[in-house]
Amino acid sequence: GESVGLHLPTLSVQEGDNSIINCAYSNSASDYFIWYKQESGKGPQFIIDIRSNMDKRQGQRVTVLLNKTVKHLSLQIAATQPGDSAVYFCAENRNSGYSTLTFGKGTMLLVSP
Amino acid sequence: EAGVAQSPRYKIIEKRQSVAFWCNPISGHATLYWYQQILGQGPKLLIQFQNNGVVDDSQLPKDRFSAERLKGVDSTLKIQPAKLEDSAVYLCASSSYVGTQVTGELFFGEGSRLTVL
């Protein structure tokens, strides 16, 4: 299930389940979005990206969906594995004359064997 | 390909002391970023360089934070004097794109964890 932790929303799933992590972004002018995975003690690691002229993009075991109408982004992880346990951040490119990525607050994914 | 290198990994100082962090980006990457990540939050951009010029430093507390990127390669981030609320992980990232269009990912270092007592 999904719950709100001390700082981060947490999603707990069983190994093999599909996971869906959601993100609401704020700027309707944002034109590029990236999902990052951050393991404890490490820097964020790129997972998948999507441009605003697309509504879906698939990678290996991951799919990103973009709904510009409601400014919503989701990351779907198929057949979740214990190694997927981490904090997941969405980031949006707020193109205001130059490009810079702004990160959301993150969701912790906990995968139980 | 070597990744983004940062040092030190950990630093503990007392408030009002100073500290400096160093970052070596991936070779050839023109754009370098410093992010501050407070525990339980997403990274917040402090400063963005393209080559050795500053693109965005709007969220850098300039009364105590400074950053430079001499020769468009390595970068240092300095805090003087430090406050308790500066306790965070300072992440350096680099990317190969320049200009106004994001064309790819940011590559992050492992970060420098600062504790201010």
Side-chain angles (χ1 to χ4, degrees), chain A residues 7-8 31-32 34 36 38 41-46 49 51 89 93 95 97-106, chain B residues 9 33 35 37 39-43 45 48 55-56 58 91 97 99-106 108-110 113:
Chain A
H7 291 289
L8 290 172
D31 60 0
Y32 178 66
I34 304 182
Y36 279 90
Q38 188 174 27
K42 296 186 177 180
Q45 180 182 15
F46 174 92
D49 59 359
R51 297 202 172 276
F89 294 97
N93 177 50
N95 202 339
Y98 51 85
S99 291
T100 191
L101 284 179
T102 301
F103 283 76
K105 294 185 179 182
Chain B
R9 286 295 313 276
Y33 311 78
Y35 280 85
Q37 187 174 25
L39 183 66
Q41 299 182 16
L45 180 69
Q48 177 178 346
V55 172
D56 183 358
S58 58
L91 294 163
Y97 72 82
T100 59
Q101 289 299 314
V102 176
T103 58
E105 64 186 280
L106 273 61
F108 283 86
E110 297 204 316
R113 181 179 296 276

Side-chain angles (χ1 to χ4, degrees), chain B residues 11-96:
Chain B
K11 189 74 175 179
I12 300 174
I13 61 173
E14 296 187 348
K15 60 184 179 182
R16 292 186 289 274
Q17 288 186 322
S18 62
V19 63
F21 302 112
W22 172 83
C23 173
N24 181 237
I26 292 173
S27 178
H29 279 192
T31 307
L32 184 148
Y33 311 78
W34 284 102
Y35 280 85
Q36 180 194 57
Q37 187 174 25
I38 293 172
L39 183 66
Q41 299 182 16
K44 182 184 87 170
L45 180 69
L46 292 176
I47 189 166
Q48 177 178 346
F49 295 92
Q50 268 189 17
N51 297 307
N52 60 350
V54 176
V55 172
D56 183 358
D57 64 357
S58 58
Q59 298 192 86
L60 187 73
K62 297 181 187 62
D63 58 334
R64 298 183 300 105
F65 285 64
S66 65
E68 60 183 8
R69 191 185 184 196
L70 299 176
K71 303 179 182 178
V73 182
D74 292 7
S75 178
T76 56
L77 175 71
K78 296 179 181 177
I79 307 173
Q80 181 180 17
K83 292 186 175 181
L84 296 177
E85 60 260 35
D86 298 333
S87 294
V89 175
Y90 291 86
L91 294 163
C92 179
S94 70
S95 74
S96 59

Side-chain angles (χ1 to χ4, degrees), chain A residues 42-90:
Chain A
K42 296 186 177 180
Q45 180 182 15
F46 174 92
I47 301 173
I48 192 168
D49 59 359
I50 188 168
R51 297 202 172 276
S52 59
N53 61 354
M54 304 171 68
D55 53 21
K56 181 179 180 179
R57 189 160 189 226
Q58 288 185 293
Q60 186 177 13
R61 282 203 307 121
V62 295
T63 301
V64 55
L65 299 177
L66 175 62
N67 185 331
K68 294 182 287 294
T69 303
V70 295
K71 292 188 285 187
H72 183 267
L73 201 64
S74 68
L75 177 70
Q76 300 178 1
I77 305 174
T80 313
Q81 302 168 1
D84 295 326
S85 294
V87 177
Y88 290 80
F89 294 97
C90 65

